[in-house]
Amino acid sequence: MRPFDYIDGSLAAGPVRLADIAAAVGTPAYVYSADAVEAAYREFETALAPARICYAMKANGNLAVLRLLAGLGAGADVVSEGEFRRALAAGIAPERIVFSGVGKTEAEMEAALASGILQINAESAPEVRSLSRIAARIGRTASVALRINPDVDAGTLDQISTGRKTDKFGVAWTEAPALFREAAGLPGLSMEGIAVHIGSQLGDLDPYRRAFRRVAELVRTLRAEGARIRRLDLGGGFGIRYRDETPLPLAGYAALVREEVAGLGCELVVEPGRRLVGPAGVLLARVVAVKETPARRFVIVDAGMNDLVRPMIYGAWHDILPLDAPPAGAHYRPADVVGPVCETTDKFAEQRPLPPLAAGDLVAFCEAGAYGAVMASTYNGRPLVPEVLVRGGRFDVVRARPTFEESLALERVPDWLAASGGDG
Ligand code: LLP
């Protein structure tokens, strides 16, 4: 069953009408389907067991979403101390967390090591050396995987490709053997394995194959020298359907893993983000006005680029569905769907065929559960929007809309300015 579908002409999450949620919490608002997240998780489990599933929480870090996934058995892939603490707060044990990222600070590495994290994915020689120093200083052993850059083009958007030699991520595969050897000799480090992640929203298995071959080759080289390699972190990147893409076939991926790396006998980790939560979320918005100009029909909605930025920074496509199903035979006409933010780039869709829409109508931006709320900002003085989780026939607000007072609470006017008075 699709996570969001029309029931009696009204778009719903399971049995819950999205219009009822909009009426209760206002718009804009993110809505996630717990059932859809769970189904997506089960699909991974079925296809890839016994691999460890470390949810790439950068896709959606809401505490309730994390808690849901933790309850299903997921670990987490984190990229900052903030994410790490959030994962812990959601009940994910440190022994189920891997720490990725190209610019971990010493404080972040120390916090992770002190807690007994499963693995840190090191991405450079300086990072390997810092990890050794910190671990030795605090009397811990750091379990480390070396993230390699396999110089493989993932064939996805340029902005979310990470495995080409010109990308900032990982250690060049050509230099990885030497760095692994060096690391194996450093105090405080236990070199556990190799990690790789070549990009996001992959639709094709072939780049994975090329990357995994490089990983397998490296494992064989290092083992021939006596290195002990027991874990491979294969990253994320599993593509979904936004427009007309074919989602990455998970069964095909699993077969590929069996062919290319399973024979090495390592424990396997995967880090799916988007695939677990993307299709499970929508962003609800209300039409503020429809403005016809000599050149365009603008549908102006109350959500903006600060709420969902993917269309603006990646040119990403999100389906836009009216909450009330258009009548049969409705006339679709091109429209530019734009937000209220004072930038021309605040445009969700250009010349998109849409049925008639009027002020007050509600729409949903689809596949917005991943890289939606987490990438939001308060630009133009717009508070972060609430998040709602639907389970079966109920819904709960899992992040409240901050009040304007709360939005101001961290800011201070220094004495010397306060003294000058604001009322004169
Ligand atoms: N592991 C690592 C080391 C990553 O860097 C990422 C994503 C993932 C796993 C999860 O990848 P996924 O399964 O979600 O494709 N903001 C962009 C996506 C950025 C992805 C960054 N890294 C977007 O909205 O498309």
Side-chain angles (χ1 to χ4, degrees), residues 44 54-59 77-79 100-101 121 123 147 157 159-160 162 169 196-202 208 233-239 242 270-277 309-310 313-314 316 318 370-372 374-375:
F44 266 93
C54 287
Y55 167 53
M57 62 176 283
K58 63 171 77 68
D77 164 48
V78 307
V79 292
S100 305
N121 293 345
E123 299 216 14
R147 173 167 174 186
L157 291 173
Q159 303 98 315
I160 54 178
T162 54
F169 298 97
V196 72
H197 171 78
I198 54 173
S200 195
Q201 182 58 8
L202 273 73
Y208 281 116
D233 181 339
L234 304 176
F238 310 90
Y242 284 99
V270 286
E271 303 172 344
R274 186 189 315 267
R275 182 72 167 255
L276 291 177
V277 290
V309 76
R310 302 193 67 256
I313 62 176
Y314 311 124
H318 287 263
Y371 307 111
V374 282
M375 293 179 75

Side-chain angles (χ1 to χ4, degrees), residues 27 285-291 298-303 337 357-363:
T27 54
R286 190 177 290 276
V287 176
V288 174
V290 176
K291 171 169 159 178
F298 291 103
V299 173
I300 307 171
V301 296
D302 63 359
V337 180
L357 286 167
D361 287 352
L362 291 161
V363 296

Side-chain angles (χ1 to χ4, degrees), residues 136-148:
R137 172 163 55 75
I138 66 171
R140 291 279 185 155
T141 301
S143 296
V144 176
L146 197 61
R147 173 167 174 186
I148 65 157

Side-chain angles (χ1 to χ4, degrees), residues 46-381:
T46 308
L48 292 170
R52 241 179 222 277
I53 302 172
C54 287
Y55 167 53
M57 62 176 283
K58 63 171 77 68
N60 185 325
N62 182 281
L63 207 55
V65 171
L66 289 174
R67 185 58 171 249
L68 172 70
L69 283 163
L72 297 171
D77 164 48
V78 307
V79 292
S80 69
E81 187 175 352
E83 283 194 351
F84 181 55
R85 290 186 184 278
R86 205 168 249 280
L88 296 179
I92 302 179
E95 311 80 59
R96 296 202 309 197
I97 299 178
V98 300
F99 200 144
S100 305
V102 75
K104 304 172 203 74
T105 65
E106 299 221 341
E108 287 179 317
M109 292 189 262
E110 180 166 344
L113 286 178
S115 77
I117 194 165
L118 174 70
Q119 171 177 303
I120 298 189
N121 293 345
E123 299 216 14
S124 66
E127 191 171 80
V128 164
R129 293 171 199 143
S130 302
L131 268 171
S132 164
R133 250 192 341 268
I134 298 164
R137 172 163 55 75
I138 66 171
R140 291 279 185 155
T141 301
S143 296
V144 176
L146 197 61
R147 173 167 174 186
I148 65 157
N149 179 317
D151 193 19
V152 167
D153 189 336
T156 180
L157 291 173
D158 178 55
Q159 303 98 315
I160 54 178
S161 295
T162 54
R164 302 162 298 192
K165 67 179 177 209
T166 46
D167 296 325
K168 69 180 175 179
F169 298 97
V171 175
W173 66 280
T174 47
E175 295 179 348
L179 183 57
F180 197 97
R181 275 176 221 126
E182 177 190 335
L186 290 178
L189 301 188
S190 170
M191 295 304 292
E192 302 286 326
I194 306 295
V196 72
H197 171 78
I198 54 173
S200 195
Q201 182 58 8
L202 273 73
D204 192 5
L205 291 171
D206 194 54
Y208 281 116
R209 185 183 301 279
R210 282 181 279 139
F212 294 168
R213 286 205 173 147
R214 290 252 144 99
V215 170
E217 189 183 309
L218 177 62
V219 171
R220 289 193 196 98
T221 305
L222 292 168
R223 279 188 176 159
E225 301 168 3
R228 184 190 62 113
I229 294 183
R230 52 186 213 95
R231 192 177 298 128
L232 299 181
D233 181 339
L234 304 176
F238 310 90
I240 64 172
R241 190 205 67 90
Y242 284 99
R243 186 176 186 180
D244 49 15
E245 307 90 327
T246 308
L248 188 93
L250 277 193
Y253 177 89
L256 173 64
V257 169
R258 277 194 299 277
E259 282 162 36
E260 303 295 342
V261 294
L264 297 168
C266 295
E267 181 192 5
L268 299 179
V269 178
V270 286
E271 303 172 344
R274 186 189 315 267
R275 182 72 167 255
L276 291 177
V277 290
V282 291
L283 173 64
L284 299 183
R286 190 177 290 276
V287 176
V288 174
V290 176
K291 171 169 159 178
E292 306 266 0
T293 72
R296 290 284 159 103
R297 174 166 75 123
F298 291 103
V299 173
I300 307 171
V301 296
D302 63 359
M305 60 185 287
N306 68 298
D307 303 311
L308 175 64
V309 76
R310 302 193 67 256
M312 297 78 183
I313 62 176
Y314 311 124
W317 172 287
H318 287 263
D319 264 346
I320 303 171
L321 297 179
L323 262 49
D324 290 332
H331 180 49
Y332 281 65
R333 275 204 305 136
D336 284 11
V337 180
V338 300
V341 171
C342 296
E343 298 222 11
T344 297
T345 197
D346 185 26
K347 187 184 290 174
F348 291 102
E350 184 151 13
Q351 295 297 84
R352 178 83 57 96
L354 286 176
L357 286 167
D361 287 352
L362 291 161
V363 296
F365 293 91
C366 299
E367 280 78 38
Y371 307 111
V374 282
M375 293 179 75
S377 77
T378 57
Y379 186 39
N380 271 208

